[in-house]
Amino acid sequence: MTSPDLLAALPAIPKDDGGPVFAAPWEARVFAMTIKAHEAGLFSWNEWAETLGAELHKDDDLPLGTAAPGYYDHWLAAFEKLLTAKGVATGSVLSDLKSAWDNAAKSTPHGQPIVLER
Amino acid sequence: MSHDHDHDHSELSEIELRVRALETLLTDKGYIDPPALDELIETYETRIGPKNGARVVARSWIDPEYRQRLMSDATAAIAEFGFTGRQGEHMVAVENTPDTHNMVVCTLCSCYPWTVLGLPPVWYKSAPYRSRTVRDPRGVLAEFGVTLPKETQIKVWDSTAEVRYLVVPMRPAGTDGWSEDKLAELVVRDSMIGTALALDPAKLETAA
């Protein structure tokens, strides 16, 4: 389980009395991946909180009246950045995998699980 | 609305593609294990999605005109709350009556109106639920602790890529004069899938 201390270290995470809340399944997925990658020793929680914080602060410079991206849009961008900084995501690996998933989805009939053929 | 929706293949949004790319990368490198990831996500199952379905049902109980709109065009009636489904997802509301009880399943995969109901429960995606609900809905209901009168017909709705169903449970007796907010507390998720009834108001009183 997620330690409440870890979450307390994060700025403005959407939550209620019962813990974090998610607006969409992908948000929970990227949240869980971050926890697991941290547990695997890929980065310290401080490093994560700093990367996420920097991403969230980008909203400060938005022109007045612009809708800010969602919390987990920032989370996803921060996670990609940290993995790149750590040398886990190098070169075009993420964009290659993205195209591969896109092709896999487009060649999968509805109702079948989407699988990456490699 | 439907002309741009492809019926033949699956589609992942830009953001879903980025999340899948990360998951594949981290799995390949041995930093995450997908089953362990699923397990962690399941602990948040009830915390995902806006879950505005209960409000939709509660309003239809107190506002006959809203109920009319919900039954004739659920997609538009749900959007009145400011929520819309994914593109191409069409919602249909099916109403329980003393004569008919509705249940929703997706025999093909696990299509689910998560924008209305949150993340699907684990059992919804399980093979036994998907196969047995069609063959033996009464037996499945009994396992959920729901026994209906013999005269009540059970209708099973099979979700597709294009159509998602919302079950409108019957308003429990003894709730006259209740506010929409209070009524919404009776509308548990499973009652909108059809594997439960709306809560007994007496139980809500004791729980509060």
Side-chain angles (χ1 to χ4, degrees):
Chain A
M1 272 307 297
T2 319
S3 152
D5 296 345
L6 289 184
L7 298 181
L10 298 179
I13 186 167
K15 63 183 173 199
D16 63 17
D17 294 344
V21 290
F22 307 96
W26 72 264
E27 295 186 354
R29 202 144 195 99
V30 72
F31 170 87
M33 275 197 273
T34 311
I35 303 278
K36 289 289 176 192
H38 161 67
E39 284 174 3
L42 203 44
F43 46 81
S44 75
W45 201 252
N46 267 346
E47 285 176 296
W48 168 245
E50 273 169 31
T51 314
L52 177 62
E55 223 28 67
L56 291 168
H57 274 300
K58 288 186 172 170
D59 285 352
D60 301 349
D61 302 327
L62 285 177
L64 282 176
T66 314
Y71 184 85
Y72 280 97
D73 292 292
H74 286 310
W75 182 299
L76 177 58
F79 194 42
E80 286 168 342
K81 267 189 192 151
L82 186 55
L83 294 180
T84 306
K86 290 283 170 188
V88 177
T90 48
S92 61
V93 62
L94 282 180
S95 57
D96 292 349
L97 281 171
K98 237 181 77 188
S99 313
W101 272 113
D102 197 23
N103 292 334
K106 289 191 168 130
S107 58
T108 303
H110 170 76
Q112 304 291 318
I114 304 170
V115 203
L116 205 55
E117 303 271 0
R118 290 189 293 169
Chain B
M1 183 72 188
S2 62
H3 65 278
D4 56 356
H5 185 77
D6 201 306
H7 295 237
D8 301 330
H9 64 69
S10 308
E11 192 81 52
L12 293 170
S13 71
E14 169 69 16
I15 222 144
E16 284 169 329
L17 289 172
R18 282 165 69 192
V19 173
R20 288 210 184 208
L22 284 168
E23 182 172 344
T24 306
L25 176 71
L26 291 168
T27 306
D28 285 354
K29 301 224 168 194
Y31 291 114
I32 58 171
D33 172 35
L37 192 68
D38 287 336
E39 208 174 293
L40 177 59
I41 292 167
E42 271 166 24
T43 65
Y44 292 104
E45 169 195 300
T46 60
R47 328 239 351 119
I48 300 175
K51 289 182 293 232
N52 58 332
R55 301 200 57 84
V56 170
V57 171
R59 183 162 303 174
S60 80
W61 284 347
I62 58 174
D63 180 347
E65 284 174 18
Y66 182 75
R67 182 186 155 271
Q68 199 75 46
R69 294 201 293 281
L70 180 66
M71 299 316 294
S72 59
D73 183 354
T75 311
I78 290 165
E80 289 179 32
F81 283 86
F83 290 97
T84 47
R86 289 175 50 151
Q87 195 180 13
E89 185 177 293
H90 183 65
M91 292 291 305
V92 171
V94 289
E95 195 175 35
N96 288 349
T97 65
D99 299 328
T100 311
H101 179 88
N102 297 284
M103 272 175 95
V104 182
V105 68
C106 180
T107 52
L108 204 53
C109 46
S110 47
C111 290
Y112 187 80
W114 67 261
T115 53
V116 181
L117 295 187
L119 199 70
V122 179
W123 51 259
Y124 186 83
K125 296 179 277 186
S126 73
Y129 179 77
R130 285 157 45 193
S131 58
R132 286 191 38 222
T133 300
V134 176
R135 282 205 319 270
D136 177 24
R138 214 169 276 273
V140 171
L141 275 183
E143 282 174 42
F144 277 94
V146 177
T147 317
L148 296 171
K150 280 201 179 63
E151 316 78 80
T152 305
Q153 243 194 7
I154 302 177
K155 257 191 181 167
V156 175
W157 301 85
D158 197 352
S159 311
T160 68
E162 286 83 33
V163 185
R164 310 285 157 98
Y165 298 94
L166 175 73
V167 175
V168 179
M170 283 194 286
R171 179 172 178 169
T175 56
D176 290 352
W178 281 35
S179 69
E180 186 177 308
D181 282 351
K182 204 171 168 198
L183 285 169
E185 290 177 44
L186 299 174
V187 189
V188 290
R189 177 196 64 199
D190 290 3
S191 73
M192 294 178 280
I193 305 176
T195 54
L197 307 177
L199 290 184
D200 178 348
K203 278 186 190 141
L204 187 66
E205 300 285 344
T206 49

